[in-house]
Every structure is written in C-alpha cells, then in structure tokens.
Amino acid sequence: MSATIIDGKQIAADVRRQVAEGVQARIEAGKSAPCLAVILVGHDPASQVYVRNKKNACVEVGFESRSYDLPAETSQDALLSLVDELNLDEGVNGILLQLPLPAHLNSDEILERIRPEKDVDGFHPFNLGRLAQRMPVLRPCTPKGVMTLLKSTGLRLQGMEAVVVGASNIVGRPMSLELLLAGCTVTTTHRFTKDLAGHVSRADIVVVGVGKPGLVKGEWIKPGAIVIDVGINRLDDGRLVGDVEYAPAAERAGWITPVPGGVGPMTVATLMENTLEAANMQDN
C-alpha cells in the first residue's frame, strides 16, 4: 500500500480563495474588510517567518493587517496595555499574539486579556470551553485546519478510533476535542503514556504534534490509517521533517500529510478563516 498524499498547500489555497470571496461579499455589502492585528515581541527567526506568512496571507485574501513589532525587553504591563487598546479599537476584528514570547512574559495572562470575540487564534479559555461544550465559536487554528484536511479525504470520521500524540494546549488538547466533536473515539497520549506504539497501532486516525523527529515509527501505523503530522523539525543537515517516520508510514497508511506542505499552510489559512468569521460576528 502507498498512501494518498493530503495536499495541505492546495487545500489551504482553496480555503484562502473562499475567504477572499467572503471579503469581497462584505465590501459589496458596504462593510469594511476584516482587520487583523499581529503582535510580535522580540526577534525570534522562526516567529518572524510565521508572522511574514500571516501578513502575506492577509494581503492575498484582502484583509487589512496591522503590525506591532515590539522589542524583546517589552514589559508585561506594556503588552497588556497594547492588548487593551486593540480590544477597544472597533477597527480591529482579530488580535494575534505570536508565540512563544520572551521568557520574562506571562503568555497565559496576555492571551486571556484578548477579548474572546477577537481571539482569532482560539486560545482564550472562553473559546476552548465553547469547543469542549460542543458549541464552538472561534476554534484553535491548527486543530481546526487538521479537521479540514481530514474532511478532504471524504471518509466518514464518525466511529473511527483516533489517537492524538501530544497534549499541548495549542495542538493536542483542542485536537482531541475536535475529533470528539466529529464523533471519533479519542485517545490522547502524552509523556506519561505507556506503550505508545500499542495506542498508535490500533488507530484509524493518528495526529502527531510533539516536536520530536521520527517519534512515531512507520511500522506502528495501522494499514489504511489516516496520518496527520503536525510536527516540523529542522535536522542538522537542514532538512525539514515531521514527528512521523514518513517513508515507512506512507507505505502502510491510506492517507498522509507531508512535511512541509501539510498542516503548516492550513494553520495560516484557518487563521484567515477565523478572522473573517470574527468580523462577521462583530457586525451582528
């Protein structure tokens, strides 16, 4: 068996096109284009790349974007004051705080300061709580993007055994909630899990987001399973790889995402989707 590749780049392009159509419909109805405020603290190279990709996507779909590039020594109070200012600015529909922050800053406090209706990353406890209660509003971008990838297979997800490897607040925990909402039987594994291979080997859907290259071995994959690799790791030789041993996994899986070109583009596209949704909700 050789897996069908789930083309995240193409699916993300389709999502951005749909968002652009939604923006055009707003403008034709006499409304403003959505506005996304992006806050970057410090000079982390990876964060700068991610922010640039988000800004480029804003241009593509027709959003207004505002950049707040702050020095690494920015204080907690100064950052909270900026969030308060953006919360009150009716011209701003979405606020994105690029993570990770410098070590002296408390990201939890700052994320909770963002008004839930402008929390386009979906990290506010209100939005995560709504997802847990099966009443989602703004959903975390990467898990929501993964659900779009899963739906692209055309397979019926209800009743499938899903295993999520990793229990982070950004990916693993909300991913488990998304799969549960879709009717899957969900197991979430983490650093205390015993027999990870045993859990993975019975899964119809495997979603891996840990940040350890090759953590999930190809031989663990159940024949015909859907494998979603959220991890992205740069090796010493410069190659980008995921958390799954790709080649042997692709020989066993029915569907698999590549790294790069799988989940990554979907995260940015889903951010655009969330920002349009936030703007539409704020009109009502």
Side-chain angles (χ1 to χ4, degrees):
M1 177 182 296
S2 185
T4 298
I5 306 301
I6 302 175
D7 188 348
K9 286 185 178 179
Q10 183 57 57
I11 297 166
D14 292 341
V15 170
R16 294 194 304 272
R17 177 181 50 76
Q18 291 165 10
V19 171
E21 290 171 357
V23 173
Q24 190 59 38
R26 283 181 60 85
I27 292 171
E28 290 172 359
K31 300 175 182 178
S32 61
C35 175
L36 175 64
V38 181
I39 304 171
L40 174 64
V41 185
H43 306 287
D44 178 72
S47 291
Q48 289 174 328
V49 170
Y50 294 144
V51 166
R52 185 168 65 246
N53 290 342
K54 291 164 185 174
K55 290 177 183 175
N56 290 342
C58 283
V59 172
E60 180 182 346
V61 301
F63 287 177
E64 176 190 351
S65 67
R66 300 187 194 175
S67 299
Y68 298 87
D69 297 340
L70 307 178
E73 60 272 16
T74 298
S75 70
Q76 185 84 3
D77 286 345
L79 196 47
L80 289 170
S81 294
L82 174 58
V83 170
D84 289 342
E85 176 187 324
L86 296 173
N87 278 336
L88 294 172
D89 188 338
E90 293 183 358
V92 172
N93 303 112
I95 302 171
L96 176 102
L97 178 66
Q98 182 63 45
L99 300 176
L101 294 176
H104 70 281
L105 295 172
N106 181 345
S107 60
D108 289 340
E109 182 185 14
I110 299 163
L111 289 170
E112 287 193 35
R113 194 70 158 249
I114 297 171
R115 281 170 51 182
E117 64 268 29
K118 295 190 177 189
D119 168 40
V120 289
D121 251 339
F123 293 156
H124 193 284
F126 175 87
N127 286 320
L128 287 169
R130 290 287 298 240
L131 178 59
Q133 292 185 326
R134 296 180 287 180
M135 299 182 292
V137 188
L138 295 174
R139 295 148 60 185
C141 293
T142 297
K144 183 183 177 186
V146 168
M147 295 310 298
T148 303
L149 294 175
L150 288 172
K151 289 170 185 173
S152 77
T153 66
L155 300 175
R156 179 181 170 85
L157 304 181
Q158 287 179 324
M160 284 193 175
E161 291 272 352
V163 170
V164 178
V165 181
S168 70
N169 289 343
I170 292 175
V171 178
R173 292 170 190 266
M175 189 72 251
S176 296
L177 292 172
E178 286 281 4
L179 289 163
L180 193 59
L181 188 63
C184 298
T185 301
V186 184
T187 300
T188 306
T189 66
H190 42 77
R191 61 193 175 117
F192 299 114
T193 295
K194 299 175 181 177
D195 190 21
L196 178 61
H199 288 291
V200 170
S201 65
R202 61 178 170 75
D204 303 306
I205 300 170
V206 183
V207 182
V208 189
V210 177
K212 293 185 178 179
L215 173 69
V216 172
K217 308 305 178 189
E219 66 196 40
W220 298 354
I221 301 301
K222 177 181 178 179
I226 308 172
V227 178
I228 306 289
D229 194 345
V230 182
I232 185 160
N233 312 281
R234 188 172 294 279
L235 301 181
D236 291 339
D237 61 9
R239 287 184 298 132
L240 287 175
V241 299
D243 292 349
V244 177
E245 277 188 339
Y246 183 81
E251 287 300 315
R252 296 175 64 84
W255 304 78
I256 194 168
T257 57
V259 177
V263 175
M266 287 304 305
T267 299
V268 177
T270 305
L271 174 67
M272 301 298 105
E273 204 172 41
N274 277 359
T275 304
L276 175 60
E277 183 178 352
N280 289 340
M281 287 191 300
Q282 289 162 33
D283 287 339
N284 299 326

